[in-house]
Each structure stands twice: as structure tokens, then as C-alpha cells.
Amino acid sequence: MGGTTPEQDEVRMIETGSNPTRFARGWHCLGLADTFRDGRPHEVKAFGQTAVVFARRDGTIHMIDAFCRHMGGNLARGAVKGDEIACPFHDWRWNGEGRCVGVPYARRVPLRARTTAWITMERNGLLFAWNDPQGNPPPPDVTIPEIEGYGTDRWSEWSWKSYLVEGAHCREIVDNVVDMAHFFYVHYQIPRYFKNVFEGHVASQYMRSTGRDDIKTGVQMDLPDAVTRSEASYYGPSFMLDTIWTESDGDVVEAKLVNCHYPITPDSFLLQYGIVVEKKPGMPDEQAQVMAQTFIDGLEVQFLQDVEIWKHKSRIDNPLLTEEDGPVYQLRRWYQQFYVDVEDVTPEMVRRFEFEVDCDHAIATWEAESREAAARAANAPA
């Protein structure tokens, strides 16, 4: 009677796998577009390469390989002259399409004076670059949605932050889409409802949560009895747009959160996040901006909590799961579509998939834990 089976006695080994050397196909957000319109070249390390980003006189922003095909000068150390970027070494002029259009000291430009150029796009005040190892242009249906009313008095300006993450692949952050339980242990929230939907190039997370009574961090702005409702979707491999409604004392604050990244090397990426807050009627711009900054400061706490986990965890290709852990393997199957040739994308990677986590047992356990912690704190000596 009793005892264990051979399967139960077998030690579970972690399969670490290895980070892909290929960089994901899709739109990647480089940051706030206006930061690149200062008349100077900007060096961007992304997709295993070094690029230069610059704006033409009409404000159009371009991204090309940073190293001049003449003698290897770094164009990001050069200067924007008119509509071209000029190499600091010999003043060769390169346009936004990656063609050399002038060599001031020479009669003619070499026929093969062509370099790598990325397709760029502006949306919602943000700059995006399209990466595709096969060199294909973006399909019309694979794009970034517009925020309704962005650029009008409806929204505050972006509050924006970035953080370099080293020693981890960007799959770590995408895994969070399905990770209901980590919100309690890492971000100090109690998920009350949690559902995932994957379809095509979009992976969505629907969540309703409340803050933990025993911990106050500013993540939920420490509003009394605050309830947060979130509808977040990854549009491709690296850009999440999240609509967040925070309800407290009968008032609702709506915000748009961007959680995005772009890969630098197979084991490093630039994490970026920003937020705009909807202005209430009669709300001064300064007040809306203070509210947005309060949100972003709280979100910084959350993101840095994630980073601290990633810095010390193992990569794991065979996670051992309970049903409350959500559809980790299905999410990774969806994510794989961005790392294979378009001809190799399978129906299983893009077909619609839905999964709702039953949060009841977790809520009961967490609330009991929170009450015990609060009781210990109340009885602790002053």
C-alpha cells in the first residue's frame, strides 16, 4: 500500500536548450519617435547589428547599417547633412534607403554602394523597425494598432523608460503573458480573472486583479480598494499594447501601457515601457502628466522585479506545470512562428486558442496568506 511509482521517483531534469541565434520576424519598437528628430545620428544596436537612425528634413526617420561600405567608418559618429547621413571618415553620403548618393571628392559613386536598410514606421508617437531574416516586407495585416485619439487632448504625453537586460533571451518576458501566479509572488497583485487568447500574430491576456493588503508598493498607486482590469495583446514577437482601467472610490482611470523590447544579441535585449493616461474633462495637462509619471514609477517596480528573476533563473525548455500555470507550451508554439521562415509557419502556430485559468483555489490560498502576514505585522513589536 502507498509508496511511490518509478515515475515519481525519477528525478526531473531541466532541459535548458539554447537561445536561438536568429532574430524574430516582426515590428520592433525603438522608442519615442521624437527622440530621433534632434538633427543628429543615433546609434542603435539591434538584431545582432549596429545601425544608425536619423531623420530627414521632412521629419521622416530612417534606419540603415551604421558602418560605411567604403572604409568602415561608423555613420553614427558622423553628421546629418540635408537628407543624408555623412560618414565621419571620408564624408560619403548615405540616404535612408541605404544608397550612397554622393562622394564629395569623387566624380562618381561606385555602382555597388548599397548598404542594409530597415523598413521603419511611426505609430502612436513611437518608432518601429521591421526585421525579417528572409528580407520580406511586412504583410499588410501584420501591423501595430492605432490608439484611438492619440495625438489629441484625450491623452497625456508618453512617460517612457528603458532598461538593458543582459544574460537572458527575450522569450522570458513573453512567457509572462500566460503566467498568472507570478503576479502575486512578484508583482504583489491578486489575479481574480485570467484568460489567454492566441490567434494569428496576436497573443492576448485578459486579467482583473486587486492589490495585496499586506504589501504596498505603489504598483497600483496605493489607491484604496483599487481594482485593475487589463486587456493586453502582443502584436508580433515584441510589442504589447495594454489597456488598463483602474477603479477606486467609484472613479475609473484609463491608461494605455506599452511593454516592448528589441533584441540586441541572442542573450540581451532592450526592455522599454511607457504609458499615456486619459485626461478627465477639465484636467490640466500637468496633472495628467503627474498621473502618468505615477503609473510609470509603479510599473518600473514591476519590471525590475521581473528582471531580478531573469538574472538568476535557468533557461528551461521543459517547464513542469500545473493546470493553474496556464498554456505555457501553447504560447511558446505561437511564439515560434516568428523564428522560422514564413513557409515553415504551421497551422498549429497561428490557429485560435483560448484558455481561462481557474483562479479560485489560488485566491483562497493567497488571501489566507495575506491575512496571516497582516496579523503578524499587527502583532510585531513596535
Side-chain angles (χ1 to χ4, degrees), residues 55 122 133 147 193 234 237 278 329 345:
E122 283 190 54
I147 296 174
Y193 174 83
Y234 264 100
E278 187 177 33
Y329 286 100
V345 175

Side-chain angles (χ1 to χ4, degrees), residues 74-358:
N74 188 338
L75 300 176
R77 301 284 178 163
V80 178
K81 296 183 178 180
D83 289 334
E84 289 83 42
I85 184 78
C87 180
F89 204 174
H90 300 91
D91 206 30
W92 284 40
R93 311 290 177 84
W94 298 85
N95 67 14
E97 288 70 45
R99 291 189 180 277
C100 181
V101 295
V103 180
Y105 62 85
R107 293 186 180 88
R108 62 181 66 88
V109 175
L111 293 176
R112 296 183 179 180
R114 182 71 187 269
T115 189
T116 303
W118 283 264
I119 298 172
T120 57
M121 174 184 71
E122 283 190 54
R123 186 64 49 88
N124 306 318
L126 307 175
L127 178 67
F128 295 83
W130 173 259
N131 183 67
D132 185 349
Q134 293 179 273
N136 296 322
D141 61 328
V142 177
T143 190
I144 304 298
E146 294 186 11
I147 296 174
E148 183 179 354
Y150 179 80
T152 70
D153 288 340
R154 178 179 175 183
W155 301 99
S156 69
E157 297 296 324
W158 284 107
S159 289
W160 194 263
K161 295 196 177 188
S162 61
Y163 190 88
L164 174 63
V165 179
E166 297 181 289
H169 188 266
C170 37
R171 185 181 73 175
E172 300 291 351
I173 189 171
V174 178
D175 275 350
N176 283 355
V177 174
V178 297
D179 193 348
M180 179 272 296
H182 95 288
F183 281 94
F184 178 85
Y185 297 106
V186 181
H187 301 319
Y188 311 133
Q189 298 179 53
I190 299 181
R192 306 281 174 173
Y193 174 83
F194 197 94
K195 181 179 179 178
N196 290 117
V197 179
F198 313 143
E199 187 171 19
H201 72 289
V202 181
S204 299
Q205 174 201 92
Y206 301 91
M207 182 172 69
R208 184 173 63 87
S209 64
T210 56
R212 284 172 56 176
D213 292 336
D214 57 322
I215 297 176
K216 294 297 182 183
T217 65
V219 169
Q220 301 240 352
M221 297 174 61
D222 286 346
L223 296 173
D225 303 318
V227 176
T228 298
R229 185 161 56 92
S230 165
E231 296 182 1
S233 294
Y234 264 100
Y235 295 91
S238 66
F239 182 83
M240 173 187 275
L241 182 61
D242 185 2
T243 301
I244 301 174
W245 296 269
T246 302
E247 306 172 24
S248 180
D249 287 341
D251 193 23
V252 179
V253 177
E254 182 178 349
K256 297 287 187 179
L257 164 68
V258 162
N259 165 15
C260 63
H261 61 271
Y262 61 81
I264 299 171
T265 67
D267 62 353
S268 66
F269 58 95
L270 189 71
L271 171 65
Q272 301 194 89
Y273 44 98
I275 202 161
V276 292
V277 175
E278 187 177 33
K279 300 177 185 176
K280 297 292 185 181
M283 178 183 290
D285 291 346
E286 296 79 7
Q287 183 179 347
Q289 211 57 48
V290 168
M291 187 178 299
Q293 189 62 42
T294 301
F295 266 104
I296 201 69
D297 290 342
L299 289 165
E300 182 175 30
V301 174
Q302 287 197 0
F303 281 116
L304 294 184
Q305 288 165 333
D306 279 322
V307 171
E308 188 64 19
I309 295 291
W310 302 333
K311 284 165 58 177
H312 301 285
K313 73 180 291 295
S314 170
R315 176 187 168 88
I316 181 168
D317 281 352
N318 63 333
L320 186 61
L321 305 175
T322 71
E323 60 185 276
E324 288 83 8
D325 284 310
V328 175
Y329 286 100
Q330 290 86 349
L331 174 71
R332 290 184 176 183
R333 183 175 61 200
W334 169 85
Y335 188 56
Q336 186 61 24
Q337 68 178 287
F338 307 111
Y339 288 88
V340 299
D341 289 349
V342 291
E343 298 83 4
D344 296 327
V345 175
T346 65
E348 291 77 13
M349 295 176 184
V350 296
R351 70 164 53 120
R352 185 176 179 87
F353 174 86
E354 298 186 26
F355 188 90
E356 182 178 332
V357 175
D358 184 348

